[in-house]
Amino acid sequence: MFYDRAKIKVQAGKGGNGCASFRREKFVAKGGPDGGDGGDGGDVVIVASRRLRDLAYFQHKRHFRAGKGRPGEGARKHGRRGDDLEIDVPCGTQVLDEDGMLLADLVAEGQRFLAARSGGGGRGNCRFTTSTRRAPKFAELGLAGEERTLSLELKLLADAGLLGFPNAGKSSLLRRISRARPKVADYPFTTIAPMLGTVEDEETHQQFTVADIPGLLEGASRGVGLGDEFLIHLERTGLLIHLLDVTGYYQQEPLENFIAINRELQDFSSQLAARAQLVAVNKVDLVDSRQAEAVRSQVSMEVARRCKSGDPAFAWLLERADGDTEAVNGEEAVLLVSAATGAGLEQLMRLSFSLIQDAWEEQPLQMEDAPEGHKIYRPGVDERWQVEAEGDHYRVRGEVVERIVARTDFVNEEAVAYLQERLEKLGVSDRLRAAGAQPGDDVVIGDMEFEFW
């Protein structure tokens, strides 16, 4: 079974706690604080790999956790960083958050995405020595690692996609032009999972990949038949090869099938409907030449009409006619082929190579991650945190303040006093008073609740 969707939960490693320690050696009186820092936790990184074909692995393993950072020790020994966790996914995998927002599109071998950031290690007590605080007896706690639920969606990376009704001969064509070996039988829906094959030009040794997806029915964009489950695998292609069954397997004219499939493409995605398209009238070995030519003529007239009306799927015909609509020849886009005998396939592959190369030049595959922007904080009011009134209490929101609270060891009175000192310097009390807080009111910061005084 082919799996192209999965949901996983990732958790980065917790940072190690800092150490509160003092130097104790013979002949060294009052050696002073020497507690080391805790190590940072490990990150969770998703990596694109060509070794994998689908997302089947994530059907039975959904939780991933990176290593924890080691705590600091005396003699200024810092804890070891936690081990990073790398999760391999197939090339072409998109990573989305719980709201469906796209976070990363991993299309190239080795492309990486930081899925969960590690928690920082706490500082040891030697870090808090000042001229007035000569022997601090407290250290910071390590921070928890980031935890997220992510959705993975695989869209196959193929240069061309085979499109058509069930039993149009897509799998037979893929077997004929590549080394792929999909199942072939004389009944509809033989193909129930996408297949990839590689086609090579014997003269130039150039290659391109072809995706064979399960056949479509009318209403596929709304989920009829195998529906839109596999249409997404055509979204990355630069060319659609539309196969028509000249024998009329569904007791429907090939022209009607052609119009119906293009209607489904438009309903599913206007971008997909705009892909360059070739039409291959298949199984010509099963009918006489006059019938095959009649079908080709009908479809060619429809293709020419679409081209002249501005259909982007056949805009390449207008380009080859130098923009002259009267010179557009729809027959150039409609080929008679036989996957069984190989008739017409050489011409089909030659034209496919040409159109795919045009697609490569027009829309080169983007393999670079967008650089992260940098925030610049100006002097004045610290906009990184805010105070909000919530019912019967006040909440202080902001990573800066929440991290300070999360690092505090509330069992240690000296650590709590240091926390109060830090919050005063940040102006938290002043901003709480400005928001209307009175002595005795509850204040929530992160997971902790305090009494304002």
Side-chain angles (χ1 to χ4, degrees), residues 141 404-413 415-416 419 448-450:
L141 303 179
I404 295 173
V405 172
R407 288 184 180 276
T408 301
D409 181 5
F410 287 93
V411 177
N412 188 308
E413 293 183 3
V416 175
L419 168 66
M448 300 299 296
E449 186 172 326
F450 306 89

Side-chain angles (χ1 to χ4, degrees), residues 329-343:
N329 181 11
E331 291 190 359
E332 188 177 352
V334 184
L335 306 178
L336 298 177
V337 302
S338 170
T341 65

Side-chain angles (χ1 to χ4, degrees), residues 1-4 49-56 89-91 93 154-156 192-196 212 233:
M1 190 171 182
F2 182 83
Y3 293 96
D4 55 4
S49 172
R50 290 199 187 100
R51 296 184 298 103
L52 301 177
R53 178 177 175 266
D54 65 4
L55 301 173
V89 297
C91 292
T93 299
L154 173 61
K155 293 184 179 180
L156 292 179
I192 59 174
M195 290 287 294
L196 276 180
D212 171 24
H233 296 296

Side-chain angles (χ1 to χ4, degrees), residues 374-388 395-404 422-423 425-428 431 445-446:
H374 297 278
K375 292 184 180 179
I376 300 177
Y377 298 108
R378 306 293 185 188
V381 177
D382 194 337
E383 300 295 341
R384 294 174 294 173
W385 57 273
Q386 302 85 30
V387 173
E388 301 173 357
R395 180 177 290 277
V396 182
R397 297 183 186 277
E399 185 179 359
V400 174
V401 179
E402 292 177 11
R403 284 169 70 95
I404 295 173
R422 297 276 311 270
L423 295 181
K425 287 183 178 179
L426 283 172
V428 175
R431 209 178 289 187
I445 306 177

